[in-house]
Each structure stands twice: as C-alpha cells, then as structure tokens.
Amino acid sequence: MKRMYHYATVSKALDQLNEKGFTCDFNRNADMIRKNPEKFEIVHVYRYEGESDPGDEAVVYGIKSTSGKKGVYVAGFSADSDLETAQVLFDLSIRGR
C-alpha cells in the first residue's frame, strides 16, 4: 500500500524514510529499476514543489524490492534528470494504486 507524505523539504522526507529502514540509494542503482521494474514496489511517495522555480520540483519514492531491500529514489524535473527511470517509477506508482 502506497502512502503519501507531506514534509517541508526533500531532506526531511529522506530522513523520515531512512528512520523507517529505507537506506538503499536507488539513484545509484537506477539501472536495476529500469531493467527489472517488476521486482520493485513503491511503498511511499512524497512530492515536493519548489516555491517559485519549477526546476526545484522533486518526487521522493520509498521503494521496496522483492528481495526485501528498501531504499529511496529522488526524481527531479531538471534538464539533467534521469527521465527514463523517473518514467518507470511513475508507471509503477500508477500500477500500485
């Protein structure tokens, strides 16, 4: 079951998820998600919108793998973001609804 949280900042969301055991940094292992999306479930989602700059927008995902590994992925909306992985995660979040 996916839960939506509202924190003041991305770092606060990451701290809270870390306290819940989401310790793996899936941004460093994004290829695992892209190649095997069926092995991952989005458990938590947090969307952060910048006050004035759309480039400050981000989504923090709390992700659990079928092997039990729990971690986070932060998807930004800037030009240098990993849009392919962000799309896979977005599709997973829709599938989980």
Side-chain angles (χ1 to χ4, degrees), residues 8-25:
T9 65
V10 169
S11 62
K12 182 66 174 169
L14 292 172
D15 290 343
Q16 291 295 315
L17 288 170
N18 187 276
E19 288 178 17
K20 295 177 188 291
F22 291 81
T23 56
C24 179
D25 181 354

Side-chain angles (χ1 to χ4, degrees), residues 43-56:
V43 183
H44 302 282
V45 176
Y46 167 71
R47 183 176 178 97
Y48 176 75
E49 296 181 13
E51 290 184 27
S52 61
D53 183 358
D56 290 341

Side-chain angles (χ1 to χ4, degrees), residues 14 17-18 21-30 32-33 40 61-65 68-74:
L14 292 172
L17 288 170
N18 187 276
F22 291 81
T23 56
C24 179
D25 181 354
F26 283 118
N27 284 79
R28 294 178 183 247
N29 301 303
M32 291 171 31
I33 295 171
F40 295 91
Y61 293 99
I63 302 170
K64 183 177 174 185
S65 72
K69 184 181 284 190
K70 296 190 320 185
V72 296
Y73 185 90
V74 180

Side-chain angles (χ1 to χ4, degrees), residues 82-95:
D82 179 355
L83 298 178
E84 183 180 354
T85 302
Q87 183 62 49
V88 169
L89 291 169
F90 179 73
D91 293 344
L92 283 175
S93 69
I94 289 174
R95 189 178 329 143

